Amino acid sequence: MSVQERKERERAARERLIVATARELAEQQGWDAVTTRLLAERIEYSQPVLYSHFRGKREIIGAVTLEGAAEMAAALRAATSAADGPRSRVTALARAYLDFAERNPAVYDAMFQLDGGLAFAREDTPEPLKDAFAALLESLREVAGDGVRPGLFTEVFWASLHGLATLTQAGRLPPEDAGHRVELLVDRLAVV
């Protein structure tokens, strides 16, 4: 291994450490607690080292967003791959989405509430974000209904899931009805 390869590997490891530490801090204390000073202290590197990877908190949130989108896409695909038939796939998709949001509230906030400097729904949207949408579209395409564009249907279904996730996270919806909400969403929106 060359010196350059070793340096690149070390740099990538530092970057993963910064992102993992930011996620951990955000999950424990919220995004307000994630500062470059505290991150540098936690990872035991100087702030200039941190700034050599990310220009600031916004870029760190962007990195967490990309990582979270990849994880969400994998979780959605895993849940739907085991389901049999369109209705069970859509139900599994909805449950997996809401479970991801519940298990990863700070990552979910980074993805959909905070400014990570990333473009959504544009040509220059990063691949992990496109792939997370594609993971939704794959299961929802077949239940959009006649004459309904699958992408548009996916946006509406996703918006419904996002509303349920954020209202639940904020304590605005009683948790005991979570399963019934998923059933109602699937029954009323999906043509199965």
Side-chain angles (χ1 to χ4, degrees), residues 18 22 31 36 39 50 54 56-65:
I18 292 166
W31 279 103
T36 53
L39 278 174
L50 194 141
F54 299 99
K57 185 174 176 177
R58 182 178 187 216
E59 283 190 4
I60 294 168
I61 290 169
V64 170
T65 296

Side-chain angles (χ1 to χ4, degrees), residues 30-52:
W31 279 103
D32 287 343
V34 180
T35 64
T36 53
R37 182 193 57 76
L38 186 55
L39 278 174
E41 184 179 298
R42 287 272 176 106
I43 65 171
E44 298 180 344
Y45 283 99
S46 67
Q47 281 184 299
V49 169
L50 194 141
Y51 282 117
S52 74

Side-chain angles (χ1 to χ4, degrees), residues 66-89:
L66 295 176
E67 197 172 86
E71 291 170 9
M72 177 183 276
L76 297 178
R77 287 187 175 109
T80 57
S81 70
D84 186 30
R87 179 183 178 75
S88 60
R89 263 190 299 284

Side-chain angles (χ1 to χ4, degrees), residues 118-131:
L118 303 172
F120 283 78
R122 294 192 344 214
E123 288 270 332
D124 59 339
T125 298
E127 281 306 314
L129 300 180
K130 289 179 181 178
D131 190 50

